[in-house]
Amino acid sequence: MSEQVTLSLTEVKSLSKSILTLHGFNDHHADAITEIIYTNQLGDCHSHGLFRLFMCIESIRSGRVSGTAQPIIEDAGPAIVRANAQEGISLLAMQAAMPRLIDKAKHNGIAALAINRCFHFSALWPEVEMLSAAGLAGMAMLPSHAWVAPTGGTRGLLGTNPFAFSWPRDGQAPFTFDFATSQFARGEIELYRRAGKALPEGVAIDKDGHPTTDAEAAMEGAMLTFGGHKGSALSLMIELMAGPLIDDLTSKESMDFAEGKPEAPYHGEIIIAFDPDLFSGGQRASNQQRAERLFADVLDQGARLPSQRRQAAQQKNLARKAVDIPKSLYDDLMKLKN
């Protein structure tokens, strides 16, 4: 096991914010980004925790990401909110638009938020859990860069294209999942590369289209979707839902826009919220009991619900008021402060 460094929860936030503001993000953006990084690190989601500061800094150094952009939030219809991030990281726009999305969903039963003109680096589960915390079911999806080959293909065309869903549960943590439609998230490939570890079989191909377990070769080649043609079709759906549907870029267009710069992908995001009370005709309570029986049947078989491990890590780290990160990561983060 690699050498670890223990950080207090306060240190996680202060380290993140100090690095972000040092490199040009204003307090509003730094706070929004730090909150998501902290939430992921708290759950030991290392690929989307403090590690993501490197992408944030690379992105603002590219000269195209704004660290001061003020999002524009507008009603685009009775059940649609649009948030123009104005070339900023997506999180400030998401946080600014979320209350309006929740209000519309509770009024109409369903509502959607389109976030446009944003750079994105973060996990989606904290966003959909904002909806479940408000008593709503929610899903979110977005493209990325063309790092993933479609099934049967030999080069990157699709993004890692994550999809997240959260269902509210009374008195306990929500049922939540968040996964890339690629076998691995891009950040996981990078963590394997940094650690010098071999990838599992079936995760990636090299630049010549041949299967590889070498993380460096995978970064130069393409990743693969999960589930063969099923994951490939789901990934294409996400390209459409979070691209042409909301007047934003596909993963291929996002990668072309980047012009080879090591910045976060530039594209859009769609978040959809559902009110279980209105959808069930006011029978939320009885239907929640049915949902709980479904979850209980999963656990009764010895299976786990998605996010159980992450939720347990959150509770453990909250109790100890600290998290552990690899010393190599900590040392590299310290270099960002110079």
Side-chain angles (χ1 to χ4, degrees):
M1 184 175 179
S2 62
E3 187 178 354
Q4 301 286 297
V5 170
T6 299
L7 298 176
S8 72
L9 299 184
T10 300
E11 287 174 325
V12 172
K13 287 190 173 184
S14 62
L15 176 60
S16 174
K17 184 167 182 179
S18 64
I19 289 173
L20 290 166
T21 53
L22 177 65
H23 289 272
F25 290 96
N26 67 16
D27 283 343
H28 298 299
H29 279 281
D31 285 340
I33 294 168
T34 291
E35 187 59 34
I36 295 298
I37 284 176
Y38 166 81
T39 300
N40 278 275
Q41 198 66 60
L42 185 65
D44 288 344
C45 300
H46 297 290
S47 64
H48 288 80
L50 289 166
F51 169 70
R52 288 291 166 142
L53 286 170
F54 299 109
M55 178 172 278
C56 291
I57 302 314
E58 287 173 346
S59 297
I60 200 165
R61 282 174 174 171
S62 76
R64 292 198 287 199
V65 175
S66 172
T68 60
Q70 181 63 37
I72 299 172
I73 314 299
E74 63 175 338
D75 288 334
I80 300 175
V81 183
R82 293 183 68 87
N84 182 345
Q86 300 205 96
E87 282 66 56
I89 297 290
S90 65
L91 296 172
L92 185 60
M94 181 275 295
Q95 289 184 1
M98 189 61 72
R100 202 174 302 192
L101 172 65
I102 291 170
D103 286 345
K104 283 181 178 289
K106 290 187 173 182
H107 180 76
N108 296 299
I110 186 171
L113 165 62
I115 305 174
N116 296 107
R117 317 301 179 249
C118 68
F119 291 85
H120 192 278
F121 74 89
S122 52
L124 295 178
W125 66 263
E127 303 181 11
V128 291
E129 288 198 351
M130 291 178 190
L131 297 174
S132 56
L136 304 172
M139 61 176 63
M141 64 194 84
L142 47 79
S144 57
H145 272 172
W147 290 315
V148 182
T151 295
T154 58
R155 64 182 184 276
L157 174 66
L158 308 171
T160 54
N161 294 10
F163 181 92
F165 174 82
S166 191
W167 176 272
R169 302 176 68 191
D170 296 335
Q172 55 188 310
F175 169 84
T176 304
F177 64 79
D178 177 3
F179 55 75
T181 49
S182 54
Q183 290 269 21
F184 271 28
R186 183 73 170 181
E188 289 178 289
I189 300 280
E190 174 63 16
L191 288 176
Y192 270 74
R193 187 191 69 79
R194 291 170 66 88
K197 294 169 55 180
L199 297 169
E201 298 281 351
V203 167
I205 55 178
D206 63 22
K207 59 184 176 59
D208 298 315
H210 301 134
T212 185
T213 60
D214 183 277
E216 191 74 49
M219 299 288 280
E220 295 176 1
M223 298 152 66
L224 300 176
T225 62
F226 75 85
H229 67 279
K230 295 179 181 179
S232 189
L234 183 59
S235 185
L236 280 165
M237 180 201 76
I238 292 168
E239 293 280 346
L240 297 171
M241 291 288 289
L245 178 69
I246 63 169
D247 185 35
D248 222 304
L249 304 183
T250 65
S251 296
K252 180 67 165 59
E253 291 167 337
S254 174
M255 182 167 272
D256 291 343
F257 176 86
E259 296 178 325
K261 292 183 174 65
E263 60 195 22
Y266 179 70
H267 50 65
E269 175 183 357
I270 186 168
I271 305 174
I272 307 172
F274 309 84
D275 187 334
D277 191 55
L278 286 177
F279 265 95
S280 65
Q283 301 301 308
R284 179 187 182 278
S286 61
N287 284 292
Q288 281 292 81
Q289 293 175 8
R290 295 174 60 232
E292 288 304 316
R293 287 197 294 273
L294 179 63
F295 298 144
D297 283 345
V298 172
L299 298 172
D300 186 57
Q301 298 183 39
R304 282 191 303 116
L305 294 174
S307 293
Q308 271 190 290
R309 185 178 298 168
R310 185 254 303 166
Q311 290 161 354
Q314 286 175 313
Q315 294 306 310
K316 176 197 70 176
N317 290 330
L318 279 172
R320 62 194 288 253
K321 299 180 180 178
V323 297
D324 297 324
I325 65 170
K327 185 177 185 302
S328 59
L329 172 61
Y330 179 78
D331 290 343
D332 286 342
L333 289 170
M334 289 299 100
K335 294 174 185 176
L336 293 178
K337 297 192 71 172
N338 297 330

